[in-house]
Amino acid sequence: MTDTWQELLRGFPSVVEVPVLWGDMDAYQHVNNTVYFRYFETGRIAYFQQIGFLGATDEQGIGPILGSASCRFRFPLTYPDTVSIGTTVTNIGSDRITMRHVVVSQRHGRVAAEGEGVVVSFDYRVRRKAPLPDAIRQQIEAMQNVTGDAL
């Protein structure tokens, strides 16, 4: 083990824990690759809940929609374990944000996967992208300033 799992999550303003489930494993006895994208989703949704982006959909019709996602697998997870998912925003555009995710095995104290997602601000009423609401931009900037990460 190189670092404790907590140190690997330094700089991530949003961190959630998820147990590795027996059913997450595939025939090769490791967590299936698709599960990592669910981990990223869990981290992304936790971040959005913290900044109020999910509630914006109810009020304005504008909310997040995933435009793209990628993953780099570092080592295979297995049951039993608990992962900590760190999420941060690395870039804010006029109508999108780029998010970085890291999945850390608590059992092994190692990064199991890293990923990136581009999330577009979407107007669900008219079914097309929309400018990122100023209030959400301000919440992201405030969230990122908690860790000292400038965008």
Side-chain angles (χ1 to χ4, degrees), residues 15-77:
V15 177
V16 294
E17 292 185 3
V18 175
V20 173
L21 304 174
W22 175 261
D24 291 342
M25 294 195 303
D26 60 21
Y28 296 105
Q29 297 302 301
H30 63 264
V31 171
N32 186 274
N33 61 297
T34 61
V35 174
Y36 292 85
F37 288 95
R38 285 199 319 248
Y39 293 154
F40 295 164
E41 177 185 57
T42 298
R44 190 168 51 250
I45 296 302
Y47 190 104
F48 290 157
Q49 286 176 321
Q50 288 176 276
I51 64 168
F53 201 10
L54 297 178
T57 306
D58 297 334
E59 298 165 14
Q60 308 166 8
I62 296 174
I65 192 167
L66 187 63
S68 66
S70 63
C71 182
R72 179 163 185 235
F73 304 99
R74 306 292 296 225
F75 90 96
L77 290 169

Side-chain angles (χ1 to χ4, degrees), residues 91-109:
N91 188 42
I92 303 176
S94 62
D95 62 0
R96 65 195 62 218
I97 59 175
T98 303
M99 303 184 92
R100 179 172 178 258
H101 307 283
V102 65
V103 176
V104 175
S105 163
Q106 290 184 14
R107 184 170 133 204
H108 297 284

Side-chain angles (χ1 to χ4, degrees), residues 5 9-10 12-17 43 46 50 83-87 143:
W5 61 268
L9 295 164
R10 188 172 300 141
F12 287 88
S14 179
V15 177
V16 294
E17 292 185 3
Q50 288 176 276
V83 294
S84 291
I85 305 150
T87 302
M143 182 101 151

Side-chain angles (χ1 to χ4, degrees), residues 13-14 44 47-54 64 87-99 119-121 132-151:
S14 179
R44 190 168 51 250
Y47 190 104
F48 290 157
Q49 286 176 321
Q50 288 176 276
I51 64 168
F53 201 10
L54 297 178
T87 302
T88 190
V89 170
T90 58
N91 188 42
I92 303 176
S94 62
D95 62 0
R96 65 195 62 218
I97 59 175
T98 303
M99 303 184 92
V119 178
V120 177
S121 179
L132 188 66
D134 288 336
I136 298 303
R137 179 183 303 275
Q138 291 168 1
Q139 288 295 322
I140 293 169
E141 290 169 352
M143 182 101 151
Q144 294 304 128
N145 284 335
V146 167
T147 61
D149 290 341
L151 295 173

